[in-house]
Amino acid sequence: MAAAAAAISLSRAIRACAGAGSGRSMASSTAKEVAAAGARVAAAVARREATPEDGRRVQWVFLGCPGVGKGTYASRLSQMLSVPHIATGDLVRDALASPDPFSKQLAEIVNNGKLVSDEIIINLLSKRLEEGAEKGELGFILDGFPRTIRQAEILEGVTDIDLVINLKLREEALLAKCLGRRMCSQCGGNFNVASIDMEGENGGPRMYMPPLLPPPQCESKLITRPDDTEEVVKERLRVYHDLSEPVEEFYRSRGKLLEFNLPGGIPESWPKLLRALNLEDPGNERSAAA
């Protein structure tokens, strides 16, 4: 049964990947690479699902604009539910830091606020899933994938997603958050220097999101990501909105979409998100980088 399911998943992934190239005049070599990437995703997911366990662990997806806090909440839920948090943004940053010549081409895309192509994302994700399968990981929370309808269709072809959590935040707050992001060049910690205090919309309560400041030893080592400029952030948001609506509708039509409007910072939003998910967190005193 598991072998048959894996074969079906593999076939669907290859058809989805290879077929997507027809409207874009892809070279045959590129189409083959995409098909191979989709096949690797299918094989890695199939190995996870074939592993015996008392109750399959969650397979969730986080959607939301760049900077909304997907990584924060996905990471917390990952720890609570004992499943890996797989963030395509982290995979891209790791690829950028590699000595591979491809990293220069990737840097051009990212630094101009463009979305990384499906081919690149699928290859990075398939590699991460393969590594996880080899380590015996079960379940996952995907963060940053799928971003396009094509990616959603490919994912649908290789596994059954249980839930898609769509985080939403007012655009002016998003912009402030993105411009306030900082990283420690020594320890790699993520912080945010933005202090957001806005009037509520339509007579609603004020939105307050306090800064997440670094410890003293990191203060002098803070750096800004090269793609966190106002122009690039606005372009990222515009591109995201253009592509996100079909993805949201894809999952909404399947009854899998949970839309969650962030009411404020982590202390206010986290317990409300847990209630929306019917979960309880005994360690809800933790803090995380947004």
Side-chain angles (χ1 to χ4, degrees):
M1 182 73 75
I8 292 170
S9 294
L10 179 61
S11 174
R12 285 177 179 169
I14 292 174
R15 286 201 307 270
C17 293
S22 60
R24 300 191 306 165
S25 302
M26 293 173 64
S28 60
S29 59
T30 304
K32 288 176 183 176
E33 288 171 7
V34 181
R40 289 197 297 274
V41 173
V45 171
R47 285 200 297 275
R48 288 164 175 264
E49 293 179 340
T51 305
E53 189 196 41
D54 293 329
R56 182 174 66 79
R57 296 193 182 172
V58 302
Q59 296 187 167
W60 288 358
V61 166
F62 265 83
L63 299 180
C65 290
V68 75
K70 296 186 298 295
T72 296
Y73 298 102
S75 176
R76 286 184 160 216
L77 286 168
S78 164
Q79 293 175 46
M80 272 185 60
L81 302 172
S82 299
V83 294
H85 166 214
I86 302 176
T88 53
D90 291 341
L91 300 181
V92 169
R93 283 186 282 277
D94 289 345
L96 284 169
S98 75
D100 194 302
F102 164 70
S103 64
K104 292 182 180 178
Q105 176 190 346
L106 190 56
E108 260 186 62
I109 297 169
V110 172
N111 292 340
N112 284 298
K114 306 297 182 184
L115 278 184
V116 180
S117 72
D118 290 346
E119 291 83 0
I120 294 171
I121 291 296
I122 291 167
N123 273 296
L124 294 174
L125 179 60
S126 64
K127 182 180 176 184
R128 171 62 183 84
L129 287 171
E130 287 172 352
E131 291 169 353
E134 288 170 3
K135 292 187 289 187
E137 289 179 350
L138 294 168
F140 51 73
I141 297 177
L142 294 181
D143 161 9
F145 185 95
R147 282 191 176 181
T148 67
I149 191 66
R150 179 184 170 214
Q151 291 177 358
E153 289 167 349
I154 291 170
L155 190 60
E156 183 83 358
V158 299
T159 193
D160 183 26
I161 295 299
D162 306 315
L163 180 68
V164 178
I165 303 160
N166 188 24
L167 296 183
K168 295 192 169 184
L169 185 65
R170 290 164 55 181
E171 189 152 324
E172 58 265 45
L174 265 174
L175 184 59
K177 279 191 70 195
C178 288
L179 296 179
R181 291 194 293 196
R182 300 292 185 273
M183 182 176 74
C184 176
S185 59
Q186 183 170 324
C187 74
N190 291 301
F191 309 99
N192 202 303
V193 299
S195 180
I196 298 169
D197 189 0
M198 297 179 175
E199 293 285 347
E201 291 183 307
N202 303 317
R206 293 185 71 85
M207 174 181 285
Y208 177 61
M209 305 180 80
L212 186 69
L213 299 175
Q217 65 268 25
C218 295
E219 286 179 352
S220 63
K221 304 177 183 69
L222 294 186
I223 57 173
T224 303
R225 283 170 37 174
D227 55 328
D228 276 349
T229 65
E230 185 169 353
E231 181 182 2
V232 170
V233 169
K234 285 182 175 178
E235 175 64 8
R236 278 208 309 266
L237 294 177
R238 184 194 66 77
V239 171
Y240 178 83
H241 284 306
D242 287 348
L243 295 173
S244 66
E245 286 187 11
V247 177
E248 292 170 13
E249 184 53 38
F250 180 87
Y251 288 114
R252 186 180 292 112
S253 67
R254 287 161 174 76
K256 296 183 177 182
L257 189 70
L258 170 67
E259 301 195 83
F260 184 79
N261 289 293
L262 292 164
I266 297 168
E268 185 180 358
S269 298
W270 175 242
K272 291 181 179 179
L273 177 60
L274 290 182
R275 284 197 291 273
L277 295 169
N278 294 315
L279 294 173
E280 291 184 8
D281 179 13
N284 61 7
E285 297 299 320
R286 291 171 298 156
S287 180

